[in-house]
Amino acid sequence: MTTDESRGSLRRILHRLTASEAEIEAQELQRESAECGGVPALECSRGQVVSVSGRLRTVVYTPRTNLPTLEADLYDGSDVVTLVWLGRRHIAGIEPGRHLTARGRVAVRDERKVIYNPYYELDLPK
């Protein structure tokens, strides 16, 4: 092992010891998202067709008189993308803590990134 490699590994060890749990989780989610071929949510922009991968933080059913919606916040370690299924009350497997990959066109609603009726794949638990 060269001196540069040992410094790099020492730096990683020190970072893991001093970083908060949230920072470590965010780094792991970003790594997993990259492995799945996902675009970091932070880099997504309006009108772009993307594939994002991460963990569902919240899932909320919003009853509306004309069109119910199911909304889920997908966090990939860099930012949050809200997934919205129009006309749905429940989708099997869509629950907080679940990992998934979603594809669709990014819109912006109330300054939040949103994908309406995304195509999604549930990831197997690790």
Side-chain angles (χ1 to χ4, degrees):
M1 186 182 296
T2 67
T3 306
D4 290 336
E5 289 174 345
S6 63
R7 284 184 186 155
S9 59
L10 179 60
R11 201 174 287 133
R12 281 191 299 274
I13 291 169
L14 286 173
H15 176 71
R16 282 187 105 27
L17 291 173
T18 59
S20 71
E21 190 173 322
E23 290 174 323
I24 292 170
E25 178 188 12
Q27 290 172 348
E28 289 175 4
L29 283 170
Q30 288 176 14
R31 182 184 48 78
E32 290 172 5
S33 176
E35 287 174 2
C36 292
V39 174
L42 190 62
E43 296 176 13
C44 296
S45 59
R46 178 185 298 195
Q48 185 180 16
V49 177
V50 297
S51 175
V52 289
S53 182
R55 180 179 300 138
L56 294 178
R57 281 187 161 174
T58 61
V59 178
V60 178
Y61 165 65
T62 308
R64 295 199 172 106
T65 55
N66 56 351
L67 185 65
T69 61
L70 184 66
E71 298 185 12
D73 286 340
L74 180 74
Y75 179 64
D76 75 345
S78 68
D79 200 1
V80 174
V81 175
T82 302
L83 309 176
V84 178
W85 288 273
L86 302 171
R88 301 296 299 264
R89 288 177 166 72
H90 175 76
I91 299 174
I94 301 296
E95 54 197 31
R98 193 71 190 257
H99 285 263
L100 66 85
T101 300
R103 291 180 197 80
R105 186 173 305 275
V106 177
V108 176
R109 179 182 76 185
D110 300 329
E111 298 182 24
R112 293 177 29 209
K113 297 171 186 171
V114 179
I115 299 176
Y116 290 97
N117 295 319
Y119 171 79
Y120 67 95
E121 294 176 10
L122 297 172
D123 297 334
L124 295 173
K126 293 181 180 184

